[in-house]
Amino acid sequence: MTGTARYAVEYPARATTYGWVVQATAARGTITRVHTSAALAVEGVLAVLHHGNAARLNPAVDAELFRLQEPTVHYRGQIVAVVVAESIEAAREAARLVRFDYDVVPHRTELSAQDPDLYRPDHVNPDYPTDVVAGDFDAGYATAEVRLDVTYRTPAYHNSPLEPHATTAQWQDGRLLVHDSVQGSSPTREILARVFELPVEAVRVVNTHVGGGFGGKIYCKIQTLLAALAARHVERPVRLALARQQMFGPVGYRTPTIQRIRLGAAADGRLGAIAHDAISQTSTVTEFAEQSAVYTRNMYAAPNRRTTHRLARLDVPTPFWMRAPGHTPGSFALESALDELASACALDPVELRLRNDTMIDPESGHPFTSRNLAACLRDGARRFGWADRDPSPRARRHGRWLIGTGMAGSSYPARVRPAAASAAAYPDGTFEVRINAADIGTGARTALWQVAADALDVPPERVRILVGDTALPPAGVAGGSTGLASWSWAVVRAAEQLCDRLGELRGVVPAEGLTAEANTDDEVAAQATLPRYAYGAQFAEVRVDVDSGEVRVRRLLGVFAVGQVVNPVTLRSQLIGGMTMGLSMALHEAGLLDPRYGDWVNHDLATYHVSCNADVPAVQAHWIAEQDDQLNPAGIKGAGEIGIVGTAAAIANAVHHATGVRVRELPITLDKLLTG
């Protein structure tokens, strides 16, 4: 709030220069000539780096990072040059003047279920089996009393954190120091060491404050590598921040999906067969397989199940992680289909889900360590006033507004990763806890501070927390809802070891202080492989203008089961943020790609619409008390992603209840409603 937090391009550095990237204007082809004379004539320009003059890099990295090394253009918008200048204005102007000649070849950018080149990847993210079969779906579906066969589509979604992808890089005596906007600095350090063929200890990455990420900054991105490459070339520090328009594509996005759902059920709504077939796109550069059908594998019971994933390799940027990957588009399809099944069976949507709840993981056959989906459904229905709902579509109208309500269930895996932390005691009675965690705006510092104070059994004001620096004990990225669960485990163990040593010294701290370090590698590796999930239920009330088709969400309510709550303020913030992002997905967001040019048409926040204050009603987030002893020492499940899962489906189901029109392709826009 005071403006004293420094972000990636705000760290002071002597003789700083500025970088600006140049993007390809061809969708596919080969660069045949580079024209840089006009750019180099701009006052203050130091260099224009491109494939013809950039230093050679070690190719043993993700191909999306192997830039300025070859003349091949894989997609429109690919970064093909970087200008370095004394000022950002000079760099930007010079970048405008760089010209490329291309040998262009035909490109293909449209995702289609009829694509003859669809293929089965070896696995889907991060390492799930591509297809899973249990029982006999075809037989179970054929004999079901009620059958449903529907297809749902979601568009491309773009991560748009307030802080763009940004880096300050500087070299000194063969060592590289990078201030980066990244969700995990340890993997970035390893990648930079590999690409520049340096010892890992010669690279330091600092990400003390990160202005949002939503998954798009989980790993090292192209601007980090280019800033370091340019800094070495001009022998001065380089700041390189992507403009908003430059973030639409080259740094990743959520792939569009085509998802076919088939449900076979008894007349009472009990599922006998489920099939979820998901199609998404990847690039010709790096394979990325969104795990959309994985959501269906563990959510509801059915003896006959089949889930599949197929990919189309297109001339597009590589998709990447985005908040609750796989589960977000997958839940829209399955939870919308369940609403349609509830209508076909004349059942309440909450009751339908309760009838298909299960305490045994349908995929593994093991009991869930804890599963409170039913508690979330019941508590959410009570808080929302669901019992007063007339199930008939178009039953409520106020003036020109049709009013409807809808709901959806949600789940997200509760995982942990190994981490290390150190805890130090000082003679003045203070303590310092160090861990290379990343605070991307979630309040991780605050929560870890509380965990540390509790573990040390001292007042919190006597504890300092240091995060976001590879000089600290290593820890995993802030992603996959694993951050606090993983980091807190290491912090607790380090604090326990410090307390033991203090006990041996009868509480006397040496003048130089006392430090203990712990890592959880062995404990995490020894943890039994069991189905661990967070759960939730989202409820929405919408109103739809009968003349224009305008949709307004009047209220959103969610109830969640996320294990032990460390800090209710930051937890509520995360849940509300996720639900708001789901609202934006339902009504506003869609990356539109023009197949003629292979580029995003709406590549800025003026045309790529996200929900703003006027779109977001009073969003309520609640949680139930939950204790699960098979998670981690703090009993945390993670809550950064569960809020978005299910929200778009709840809103789509509410729109159907209000209007009688079923929209199966997001976003829900006026044209899709007025035809109905």
Side-chain angles (χ1 to χ4, degrees):
M1 296 298 291
T2 62
T4 56
R6 294 191 188 276
Y7 290 81
V9 292
E10 297 179 333
Y11 286 87
R14 296 183 62 185
T16 302
T17 63
Y18 298 85
W20 198 272
V21 301
V22 181
Q23 296 176 273
T25 55
R28 185 181 174 202
T30 304
I31 297 170
T32 58
R33 189 176 178 188
V34 186
H35 304 271
T36 62
S37 56
L40 289 169
V42 174
E43 184 178 356
V45 171
L46 302 175
V48 179
L49 296 179
H50 52 83
H51 74 277
N53 64 0
R56 299 299 93 183
L57 302 173
N58 182 354
V61 292
D62 186 325
E64 274 289 0
L65 296 177
F66 198 63
R67 291 286 170 255
L68 312 193
Q69 304 294 300
E70 59 179 11
T72 306
V73 174
H74 300 277
Y75 57 85
R76 190 182 180 106
Q78 175 183 314
I79 294 173
V80 289
V82 60
V83 176
V84 186
E86 299 278 1
S87 70
I88 194 170
E89 293 83 4
R92 185 169 189 169
E93 172 63 12
R96 186 181 66 83
L97 298 173
V98 177
R99 292 286 183 268
F100 291 89
D101 294 338
Y102 303 96
D103 181 6
V104 176
V105 296
H107 63 271
R108 210 164 56 95
T109 59
E110 289 187 273
L111 180 65
S112 169
Q114 284 72 49
D115 190 328
D117 295 326
L118 288 176
Y119 73 96
R120 180 183 185 274
D122 291 336
H123 65 275
V124 293
N125 297 321
D127 54 7
Y128 290 111
T130 304
D131 301 343
V132 170
V133 176
D136 186 338
F137 167 77
D138 292 327
Y141 184 74
T143 58
E145 295 176 276
V146 181
R147 292 189 294 273
L148 188 75
D149 186 346
V150 285
T151 298
Y152 301 90
R153 289 175 169 83
T154 59
Y157 298 106
H158 295 274
N159 312 63
S160 296
L162 284 179
E163 183 189 21
H165 291 260
T167 305
T168 301
Q170 49 193 312
W171 294 80
Q172 186 172 12
D173 299 327
R175 300 178 68 85
L176 175 60
L177 171 62
V178 170
H179 291 85
D180 204 22
S181 183
V182 66
Q183 291 174 232
S185 55
S186 292
T188 297
R189 181 193 198 193
E190 294 168 6
I191 289 171
L192 291 173
R194 191 183 317 135
V195 78
F196 289 107
E197 298 182 291
L198 298 169
V200 172
E201 57 271 16
V203 180
R204 181 182 176 192
V205 180
V206 178
N207 60 329
T208 309
H209 295 279
V210 181
F214 309 117
K217 297 178 183 176
I218 282 184
Y219 298 126
C220 179
K221 287 302 174 71
I222 185 61
Q223 94 288 340
T224 310
L225 187 146
L226 293 181
L229 183 67
R232 190 168 67 173
H233 183 87
V234 300
E235 298 181 339
R236 289 170 60 179
V238 171
R239 298 195 198 285
L240 201 167
L242 298 185
R244 183 65 59 184
Q245 294 89 343
Q246 295 165 345
M247 290 172 55
F248 282 71
V251 293
Y253 56 96
R254 196 195 303 278
T255 173
T257 69
I258 302 170
Q259 301 178 68
R260 183 185 182 190
I261 300 283
R262 283 171 287 174
L263 303 178
D268 65 359
R270 298 186 191 277
L271 288 165
I274 300 177
H276 188 166
D277 303 304
I279 296 171
S280 61
Q281 70 188 34
T282 188
S283 72
T284 61
V285 182
T286 298
E287 182 179 276
F288 185 91
E290 183 95 356
Q291 64 271 37
S292 303
V294 167
Y295 178 82
T296 298
R297 294 176 182 172
N298 312 89
M299 193 58 183
Y300 300 105
N304 303 295
R305 323 169 61 81
R306 186 166 70 217
T307 52
T308 70
H309 298 84
R310 297 295 180 267
L311 284 180
R313 197 179 292 280
L314 303 175
D315 302 311
V316 296
T318 305
F320 199 63
W321 308 103
M322 189 171 181
R323 198 173 199 168
H327 282 60
T328 297
S331 65
F332 168 67
L334 181 62
E335 297 292 335
S336 296
L338 283 174
D339 200 68
E340 297 199 49
L341 181 64
S343 296
C345 295
L347 269 178
D348 178 85
V350 174
E351 177 60 28
L352 177 75
R353 287 165 174 81
L354 290 171
R355 290 187 184 185
N356 291 286
D357 190 22
T358 173
M359 302 308 291
I360 304 297
D361 175 19
E363 184 176 25
S364 69
H366 296 298
F368 293 101
T369 60
S370 58
R371 180 176 166 107
N372 282 299
L373 173 63
C376 293
L377 290 167
R378 292 190 175 103
D379 192 51
R382 177 185 63 81
R383 292 176 182 273
F384 191 76
W386 186 261
D388 299 329
R389 178 185 194 254
D390 184 330
S392 304
R394 298 178 65 95
R396 291 176 62 194
R397 180 168 176 167
H398 186 268
R400 72 175 196 270
W401 296 97
L402 296 169
I403 300 171
T405 53
M407 57 77 56
S410 56
S411 73
Y412 198 74
R415 307 186 188 96
V416 291
R417 298 188 181 100
S422 67
Y426 297 99
D428 63 358
T430 63
F431 297 82
E432 186 173 84
V433 173
R434 310 179 190 104
I435 182 170
N436 189 22
D439 194 329
I440 60 174
T442 57
R445 272 183 191 79
T446 303
L448 286 173
W449 174 62
Q450 291 178 260
V451 169
D454 286 349
L456 292 166
D457 195 22
V458 296
E461 57 269 18
R462 289 167 56 189
V463 180
R464 295 185 300 275
I465 291 284
L466 295 181
V467 301
D469 191 333
T470 54
L472 303 171
V477 301
S481 292
T482 64
L484 188 58
S486 304
W487 306 329
S488 64
W489 193 336
V491 167
V492 168
R493 293 295 184 249
E496 289 173 345
Q497 288 192 26
L498 180 63
C499 289
D500 289 344
R501 293 189 63 187
L502 286 172
E504 294 169 2
L505 297 173
R506 300 182 184 275
V508 177
V509 180
E512 68 277 12
L514 187 66
T515 300
E517 184 166 335
N519 72 67
T520 61
D521 292 1
D522 293 340
E523 283 188 280
V524 170
Q527 193 177 43
T529 302
L530 296 172
R532 301 174 176 89
Y533 289 84
Y535 291 96
Q538 286 98 325
F539 294 78
E541 181 179 348
V542 304
R543 58 178 185 169
V544 183
D545 189 302
V546 72
D547 297 315
S548 71
E550 176 188 357
V551 180
R552 288 286 182 179
V553 176
R554 298 183 68 181
R555 58 189 177 119
L556 274 176
L557 183 145
V559 176
F560 303 92
V562 292
Q564 180 65 40
V565 175
V566 174
N567 185 304
V569 175
T570 57
L571 171 59
R572 181 173 282 108
S573 177
Q574 283 298 289
L575 296 174
I576 287 175
M579 292 170 70
T580 300
M581 206 165 174
L583 184 157
S584 194
M585 171 185 174
L587 301 184
H588 301 127
E589 294 189 46
L592 305 175
L593 194 139
D594 189 328
R596 296 172 299 171
Y597 306 104
D599 199 8
W600 306 104
V601 177
N602 54 339
H603 55 270
D604 55 39
L605 293 184
T607 51
Y608 180 83
H609 294 166
V610 297
S611 294
C612 64
N613 289 357
D615 302 304
V616 181
V619 183
Q620 296 182 41
H622 306 274
W623 49 86
I624 63 170
E626 183 177 58
Q627 182 172 346
D628 189 332
D629 297 327
Q630 300 184 75
L631 297 172
N632 48 73
I636 297 166
K637 284 188 173 179
E641 290 164 289
I642 186 69
I644 188 175
V645 182
T647 299
I651 292 171
N653 294 339
V655 168
H656 172 260
H657 184 234
T659 64
V661 179
R662 175 66 64 178
V663 178
R664 299 190 180 102
E665 181 175 359
L666 293 181
I668 303 168
T669 48
L670 317 180
D671 54 305
K672 295 169 186 171
L673 291 174
L674 289 177
T675 55

